[in-house]
Amino acid sequence: DGGITQSPKYLFRKEGQNVTLSCEQNLNHDAMYWYRQDPGQGLRLIYYSQIVNDFQKGDIAEGYSVSREKKESFPLTVTSAQKNPTAFYLCASSLADTQYFGPGTRLTVL
Amino acid sequence: AQSVTQLDSHVSVSEGTPVLLRCNYSSSYSPSLFWYVQHPNKGLQLLLKYTSAATLVKGINGFEAEFKKSETSFHLTKPSAHMSDAAEYFCVVSLPYDMRFGAGTRLTVKP
């Protein structure tokens, strides 16, 4: 099956800990994205990557970091510097201007 | 700069009646326009996409949207709502590597 996978589906973290969310795609898309979704709000862009070994900050990059060592993978690290990390995180990849989304990871900080 | 406004945060319809979800956009260029649907705790699924080939775009599950440049609108419609249509719907305006999401419209379908 082709698609985008995110793991884990649910993640719990203690305050002060870093945590890494996984995103993998086998669609052979060059570009990948990370979004954050809060209740009652649309999606906000955290980081995006147009090509391997390159990535750009989105609108709300503070407290987050990414890497893009392989075309298929775009992991997101939520650092302890992120003041309000509890949210639903969505990964996407794109072909031209159409984005395709993974199932999401719900992160809860305890 | 580009932006999108979904005019209703919540729409409630009865099963079998028409659905109208409203979206206005602003863009300095000729963007692509999308509608996505999100069921609870799921990712976003592409419903349909407008790219200037035709002003009336047909999507999956019986949905369609009409692009009106003079009104800068891209409203989503369906002739007859089904219970399974209950979800959050997002209107999106897109240029390459710059995708802007509306705040979403929650559709409730009553039996």
Side-chain angles (χ1 to χ4, degrees), chain A residues 23-82:
Chain A
C23 178
E24 304 278 333
Q25 56 101 359
N26 61 4
L27 300 170
N28 201 34
H29 291 170
D30 286 320
M32 296 186 74
Y33 309 78
W34 274 106
Y35 293 91
R36 171 183 171 135
Q37 185 178 27
D38 294 285
Q41 297 188 33
L43 278 64
R44 292 183 290 168
L45 182 64
I46 304 172
Y47 268 97
Y48 67 99
S49 168
Q50 299 178 24
I51 198 168
V52 174
N53 292 323
D54 183 62
F55 48 83
Q56 308 295 328
K57 292 182 179 180
D59 299 322
I60 56 164
E62 185 176 352
Y64 300 97
S65 66
V66 294
S67 63
R68 186 84 187 278
E69 298 177 1
K70 298 186 300 182
K71 187 175 186 178
E72 300 81 17
S73 179
F74 191 40
L76 173 74
T77 296
V78 184
T79 74
S80 57
Q82 168 51 233

Side-chain angles (χ1 to χ4, degrees), chain B residues 22-85:
Chain B
R22 298 182 296 164
C23 173
N24 286 353
Y25 72 94
S26 172
S27 180
S28 303
Y29 303 95
S30 298
S32 296
L33 295 162
F34 304 80
W35 277 98
Y36 284 86
V37 61
Q38 183 182 33
H39 289 91
N41 293 310
K42 301 290 186 184
L44 276 67
Q45 180 184 15
L46 179 65
L47 272 181
L48 50 79
K49 170 184 176 180
Y50 167 78
T51 55
S52 78
T55 57
L56 185 62
V57 183
K58 294 189 183 298
I60 62 172
N61 301 334
F63 284 95
E64 60 184 36
E66 185 172 10
F67 172 72
K68 292 186 177 180
K69 187 174 182 178
S70 61
E71 300 176 8
T72 61
S73 69
F74 190 55
H75 301 335
L76 182 70
T77 60
K78 183 173 181 178
S80 176
H82 191 273
M83 295 297 291
S84 61
D85 294 329

